[in-house]
Amino acid sequence: MNATRLAVVCAGGLAIVGAWMLWHPGGSARGIAAYAPTTATAPTIAQKEADSAAPPGANIATRSSEAQAAKAAYEASRDCYFAKSQIDAAMSVINACQAMPQVALTESQRATCSRNIEQSRATIHELSAAAGTCPKGMASARSFYEATKAAAAQGDADAQACYVQSFFQSNGAHLTYHEQDIDDYRRAAPQYIANGLSHGDWRMVALLARGGHDESTGLLPLITRDDLYTQYVMNRLLQLGADGAYARQLSASIEASYLMPRTTQGPALTQEQIARGNKDALDLFHRSFDHQGLLKGPPSICIRD
């Protein structure tokens, strides 16, 4: 059996927390190239010439301007995307209630439907004005994905978390990813995860704790690969940073998922893995997360706070 552990990847003298690495017995490693932070692509000749011709500080200002523009485009697309999604969901509630044969409903069910229709119409009224200002196509899953991808590449942490989650829909249908999308995700997502963990981003922890399994049509499972050990460590890390009901919820979930014997075999992890996982979670907490405020619930990803 392969032993799994968190590791610290050093790149250019800067210690960056690697999300996960799989080690074979005997010291050989699998996955290091895939999961370690990648180095920047070497500039092209044209880029070098442009850099040398530009005044001092011009390139920094240009990159900053590009990053701000990408962030603004991401936020605008996000707002349009979620406004349309909420309107679509409200319309679905109205249509479902109106399609029910009223004679088959109890008085309580009819009252519930009536309330749901009223609330849904209020939601549609509230969001329609904002959604009406969105450029054509901006609210689509593809448009939101592209804006998220571009802002993530410019270093925006919100966009990076959203991109790693990779959960984009239009009218209830999941986005169809192109081959290039998948290749880009395999290359970029591990770097974004490592950056997030090194900077104390709870959203990346929450994504790794779930392993991508409640985003079954997203791309995250391509790199998490159902790694139970990493999921355990990240759940323990969340528990260390949680408070109140959320901490109790995580404790119960960890007990049920990783510590209790399963129907036909023992617990999902060995006692050795559990002990090592507890230590890894505590080390990572003290390295990057103990300065953060306590979590009262799961971190929000993609949506505006």
Side-chain angles (χ1 to χ4, degrees):
M1 175 183 296
N2 294 333
T4 313
R5 64 185 176 91
L6 297 182
V8 175
V9 181
C10 293
L14 176 65
I16 302 177
V17 180
W20 59 97
M21 295 198 176
L22 303 180
W23 295 84
H24 282 289
S28 62
R30 182 184 68 179
I32 292 178
Y35 301 142
T38 55
T39 55
T41 303
T44 64
I45 294 175
Q47 288 172 327
K48 289 180 179 179
E49 291 176 347
D51 289 347
S52 62
N59 295 317
I60 295 176
T62 298
R63 286 194 294 271
S64 176
S65 177
E66 290 173 350
Q68 291 174 8
K71 180 178 181 63
Y74 160 71
E75 291 177 344
S77 182
R78 176 199 61 195
D79 292 348
C80 288
Y81 172 82
F82 281 107
K84 183 178 185 302
S85 296
Q86 288 178 272
I87 290 173
D88 290 344
M91 284 300 306
S92 295
V93 170
I94 293 173
N95 293 337
C97 273
Q98 291 178 338
M100 290 181 181
Q102 294 298 305
V103 292
L105 300 178
T106 65
E107 187 64 31
S108 175
Q109 289 172 329
R110 282 195 291 271
T112 298
C113 244
S114 179
R115 286 195 302 272
N116 289 343
I117 289 175
E118 183 178 349
Q119 292 171 358
S120 296
R121 285 173 175 165
T123 296
I124 292 171
H125 177 75
E126 179 183 353
L127 295 174
S128 289
T133 65
C134 296
K136 184 177 180 181
M138 179 177 278
S140 70
R142 172 55 62 176
S143 178
F144 182 37
Y145 163 77
E146 295 292 354
T148 302
K149 182 178 180 180
Q154 290 288 339
D156 185 78
D158 294 338
Q160 288 182 352
C162 192
Y163 179 80
V164 170
Q165 179 175 251
S166 64
F167 188 71
F168 303 93
Q169 292 183 330
S170 284
N171 297 320
H174 296 285
L175 177 65
T176 299
Y177 292 101
H178 307 314
E179 185 175 346
Q180 186 63 54
D181 297 332
I182 296 172
D183 290 343
D184 291 342
Y185 185 88
R186 289 184 185 275
R187 181 176 60 256
Q191 174 70 68
Y192 298 160
I193 291 171
N195 289 345
L197 292 180
S198 69
H199 289 91
D201 192 333
W202 285 115
R203 295 169 297 188
M204 294 302 187
V205 180
L207 287 169
L208 292 177
R210 299 199 298 262
H213 299 298
D214 49 356
E215 288 87 28
S216 58
T217 54
L219 301 178
L220 185 56
L222 293 177
I223 56 175
T224 58
R225 299 189 298 184
D226 199 24
D227 183 355
L228 288 177
Y229 180 80
T230 295
Q231 292 171 31
Y232 174 74
V233 172
M234 294 300 159
N235 274 286
R236 279 296 189 203
L237 179 54
L238 279 176
Q239 186 185 26
L240 289 170
D243 189 31
Y246 184 45
R248 293 191 293 273
Q249 174 190 333
L250 287 166
S251 179
S253 176
I254 290 169
E255 178 73 21
S257 299
Y258 304 102
L259 306 182
M260 292 180 60
R262 292 167 290 179
T263 304
T264 58
Q265 50 189 315
L269 299 174
T270 67
Q271 289 301 311
E272 179 186 359
Q273 287 175 314
I274 290 168
R276 190 172 67 247
N278 292 341
K279 181 180 184 302
D280 283 339
L282 188 60
D283 289 347
L284 186 51
F285 178 74
H286 288 312
R287 181 181 295 118
S288 301
F289 292 88
D290 61 0
H291 62 286
Q292 307 279 17
L294 292 176
L295 295 168
K296 302 296 184 181
S300 298
I301 303 171
C302 285
I303 63 175
R304 182 170 57 185
D305 293 332

